[in-house]
């Protein structure tokens, strides 16, 4: 979508503002003109269809409104310009949930760097961006923790929590080659865009276009609900703000029972996926060897 704005002084030093929004999707060139002094302005906005397009237009209008208000406060405009917003309909969650069999098929169809990205998303329920930007220094093998938010990054509304790693994820990360500072890397460099690998793996696995990396997150959320994980732990695992945590939240991850139910549920999910995925059979064998070693040592 291309957005342009123009303003020109009118009579009595007033300003008339017009915005042209061009929807370039599907090769189209439909132009919707929105002007504060134009008849039918509000109607034109309300006629815009599609929740994602509406949200994009709202973002542009909000930025334009802020710029106009700033100019008005600085005396560059003689009157305040009214910029209405677009009513945004509720959007469906990104990515549909997957079955265990679909998760296994998707992993088997994935290129190595995308396999890592998908595996960590499935094992933690984390947002794809957080996993894509994950560095090895954020992986605490000793305490089995994944610090999804780097120390230098300020938390936002899309919170990145500290999550407990299920055993299979620890085994998976230990056997990964460290080609860069980033856990997910391609030819020694961090992965910036993964959409080609996503599309190719999805096609090879026979999955529809509703499937994306957020499907892993929704799969994890649905699985934990089925496993009767307390809602507080589900919220904590997914990075939603949990009431009642403040300073003690910093140290909560080091408690032996931290996210115990969520981690146990994810352990069962990943074991179910790994037994069906050819690309994960080595992790199952590694887990059995470790268990046998601990039994012999006892």
């Amino acid at each position: 979508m291309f957005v342009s704005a123009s303003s020109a002084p009118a009579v009595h030093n007033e300003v008339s503002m017009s915005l042209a929004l061009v929807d370039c999707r599907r090769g189209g060139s439909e132009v919707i003109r929105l002007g504060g002094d134009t008849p039918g302005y509000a109607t034109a906005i309300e006629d815009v269809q599609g929740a994602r397009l509406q949200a994009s237009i709202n973002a542009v209008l909000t930025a334009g409104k802020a710029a106009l208000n700033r100019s008005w406060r600085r005396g560059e405009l003689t009157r305040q310009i009214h910029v209405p917003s677009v009513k945004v309909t509720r959007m469906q969650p990104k990515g549909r949930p997957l079955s265990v069999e679909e998760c296994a098929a998707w992993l088997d169809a994935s290129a190595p760097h995308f396999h890592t990205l998908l595996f960590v998303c499935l094992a933690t329920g984390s947002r794809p961006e957080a996993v894509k930007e994950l560095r090895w220094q954020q992986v605490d093998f000793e305490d089995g923790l994944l610090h999804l938010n780097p120390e230098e990054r300020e938390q936002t509304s899309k919170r990145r929590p500290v999550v407990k790693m299920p055993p299979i994820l620890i085994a998976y990360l230990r056997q990964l080659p460290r080609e860069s500072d980033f856990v997910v890397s391609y030819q020694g460099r961090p992965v910036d865009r993964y959409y080609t690998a996503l599309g190719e793996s999805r096609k090879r696995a026979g999955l529809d276009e509703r499937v994306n990396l957020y499907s892993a997150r929704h799969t994890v959320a649905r699985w934990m609900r089925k496993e009767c994980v307390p809602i507080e732990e589900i919220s904590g695992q997914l990075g939603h703000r949990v009431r009642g945590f403040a300073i003690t939240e910093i140290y909560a991850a080091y408690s032996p029972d931290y996210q115990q139910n969520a981690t146990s549920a994810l352990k069962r999910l990943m074991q179910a996926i790994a037994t069906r995925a050819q690309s994960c059979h080595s992790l199952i064998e590694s887990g059995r060897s470790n268990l046998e070693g601990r039994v012999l040592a006892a």
Side-chain angles (χ1 to χ4, degrees), residues 100 104 107-108 119 168 268-284:
V100 168
L107 282 168
D108 284 343
F119 193 95
I168 196 169
R268 291 188 287 273
L269 171 62
M270 295 311 296
Q271 285 176 336
I273 293 172
T275 55
R276 293 166 173 79
Q278 292 288 334
S279 57
C280 298
H281 280 183
S282 62
L283 294 173
I284 300 294

Side-chain angles (χ1 to χ4, degrees), residues 34-291:
L34 309 176
D37 301 319
T38 303
Y41 179 38
T43 304
I45 292 180
E46 291 172 0
D47 286 344
V48 178
Q49 299 296 318
R52 283 190 172 82
L53 179 57
Q54 291 168 352
S56 298
I57 293 173
N58 244 350
V60 174
L61 293 175
T62 300
K65 183 177 181 178
L68 289 169
N69 285 339
R70 182 173 181 270
S71 296
W72 176 70
R73 288 194 301 270
R74 295 175 62 177
E76 296 171 0
L77 300 178
T78 59
R79 68 183 176 93
Q80 201 168 9
I81 307 298
H82 173 63
V83 181
S85 59
V86 178
K87 182 179 179 180
V88 181
T89 55
R90 184 176 177 82
M91 290 187 293
Q92 291 296 318
K94 300 176 184 177
R96 68 168 178 83
L98 303 169
S99 67
V100 168
E101 291 75 18
E102 287 177 322
C103 291
W106 197 8
L107 282 168
D108 284 343
S110 297
H113 68 288
F114 190 79
H115 191 284
T116 301
L117 182 59
L118 177 58
F119 193 95
V120 178
C121 285
L122 285 168
T124 61
S126 305
R127 295 182 176 89
E129 287 300 310
V131 178
K132 184 170 71 74
E133 297 170 6
L134 186 67
R135 296 173 182 262
W136 284 110
Q137 64 190 33
Q138 296 169 242
V139 182
D140 182 354
F141 285 111
E142 183 177 348
D143 292 304
L145 299 174
L146 214 55
H147 298 263
L148 291 170
N149 196 57
E151 289 184 2
E152 67 279 4
R153 179 184 178 271
E154 187 175 344
Q155 287 282 16
T156 66
S157 57
K158 294 187 176 180
R159 191 169 167 276
R160 298 183 183 182
V162 178
V163 297
K164 201 88 172 178
M165 293 188 287
I168 196 169
L169 178 57
I170 295 175
Y172 182 87
L173 293 178
R174 284 192 184 278
Q175 54 89 40
L176 277 183
R178 299 198 181 190
E179 300 177 344
S180 73
D181 292 337
F182 292 85
V183 174
V184 181
S185 61
Y186 178 71
Q187 296 182 347
R189 292 174 295 180
V191 174
D192 182 36
R193 298 176 66 84
Y194 52 79
Y195 300 109
T196 299
L198 164 65
E200 290 176 350
S201 62
R202 187 172 57 193
K203 185 177 180 180
R204 284 194 294 266
L207 301 173
D208 58 81
E209 292 187 357
R210 293 179 297 157
V211 174
N212 57 42
L213 275 177
Y214 273 89
S215 295
R217 183 171 169 83
H218 297 310
T219 299
V220 167
R222 185 177 66 175
W223 179 274
M224 288 193 291
R225 290 292 285 178
K226 286 183 176 181
E227 293 281 310
C228 298
V229 175
I231 193 65
E232 294 82 5
E233 288 198 28
I234 295 177
S235 297
Q237 186 73 33
L238 298 177
H240 301 154
R241 175 63 65 179
V242 181
R243 291 181 180 272
F245 284 91
I247 298 175
T248 53
E249 185 180 11
I250 301 172
Y251 310 104
Y254 296 93
S255 172
D257 61 351
Y258 176 71
Q259 293 293 98
Q260 188 174 32
N261 297 290
T263 307
S264 296
L266 291 177
K267 176 183 176 182
R268 291 188 287 273
L269 171 62
M270 295 311 296
Q271 285 176 336
I273 293 172
T275 55
R276 293 166 173 79
Q278 292 288 334
S279 57
C280 298
H281 280 183
S282 62
L283 294 173
I284 300 294
E285 294 302 319
S286 174
R288 287 173 181 165
S289 299
N290 291 338
L291 179 60

